Amino acid sequence: AAAGGAGGDPNTTGSNTAPATGTGPTVAATGTGGAPAVLPCGDQQCTQGGDSACCWDNYKAYGAVQAECVMGSIANDGCTTAQDGQGYETRIECKSEVHCGSGEVCCARRKTGTYNGQQFGYYDQATCETTCNAAENRFVLCEPNVTVCPMLPQMGGSVQGVCKQSALLPAGYTVCGYPG
């Protein structure tokens, strides 16, 4: 099983502090759209858009394949994102705001799973949305040196979020998180 608490991505928080409480920061998109037509998915490139997605199994909990391209509705694509002890996979439909339409950001929804009594974090999906609120365990996927990450709450104040490699997504996928 994996490490990491129920807070933000463990690779983006220095102390693995839980995300904001209350309404928290909400990020509205500023991307321009017109993104590339593929998503990196392990050693593969998946078609981006429509019913296509990358299915990432960070913990290899559901078979031997860690990354595969899937096609179809969420219910029928074979990507097992459910918290039933047999899934914990991530359906990835975007990598950053460049894969989304105007006014949208790529937002990953953070979940907590349990395996052999040990809790761990994973994302069940990354989709284009108009807002992405850390207080709801939703985190912006970003492009280093391009995306402006939101301010994040920290010890009664706030700190500028930074774009960092995610420990829960494939190599090259970065998420707005805490510096350090």
Side-chain angles (χ1 to χ4, degrees):
D9 189 326
N11 204 33
T12 64
T13 60
S15 63
N16 205 17
T17 304
T21 57
T23 59
T26 299
V27 178
T30 57
T32 57
V38 296
L39 288 170
C41 188
D43 294 336
Q44 305 173 57
Q45 296 287 316
C46 300
T47 302
Q48 193 264 332
D51 282 341
S52 298
C54 168
C55 184
W56 176 252
D57 188 349
N58 193 57
Y59 304 114
K60 295 184 184 176
Y62 194 70
V65 178
Q66 186 166 34
E68 62 184 321
C69 298
V70 295
M71 177 72 96
S73 70
I74 292 172
N76 297 313
D77 65 0
C79 190
T80 310
T81 61
Q83 298 176 352
D84 59 6
Q86 297 178 10
Y88 306 117
E89 293 180 319
T90 307
R91 180 182 166 96
I92 303 170
E93 297 179 9
C94 53
K95 185 174 180 270
S96 73
E97 71 273 8
V98 301
H99 286 108
C100 299
S102 180
E104 294 181 318
V105 292
C106 185
C107 186
R109 183 170 63 187
R110 176 70 187 255
K111 298 284 189 167
T112 302
T114 304
Y115 183 76
N116 288 336
Q118 187 177 18
Q119 281 195 333
F120 63 93
Y122 77 104
Y123 294 111
D124 71 336
Q125 66 181 13
T127 56
C128 293
E129 301 184 25
T130 56
T131 62
C132 195
N133 190 337
E136 297 171 353
N137 284 329
R138 298 165 91 69
F139 298 90
V140 174
L141 271 65
C142 51
E143 290 290 336
N145 304 318
V146 176
T147 305
V148 176
C149 289
M151 297 295 289
L152 301 171
Q154 185 175 30
M155 294 186 198
S158 61
V159 63
Q160 178 63 55
V162 296
C163 192
K164 300 173 77 171
Q165 172 64 45
S166 172
L168 302 176
L169 296 171
Y173 280 81
T174 49
V175 64
C176 288
Y178 291 87

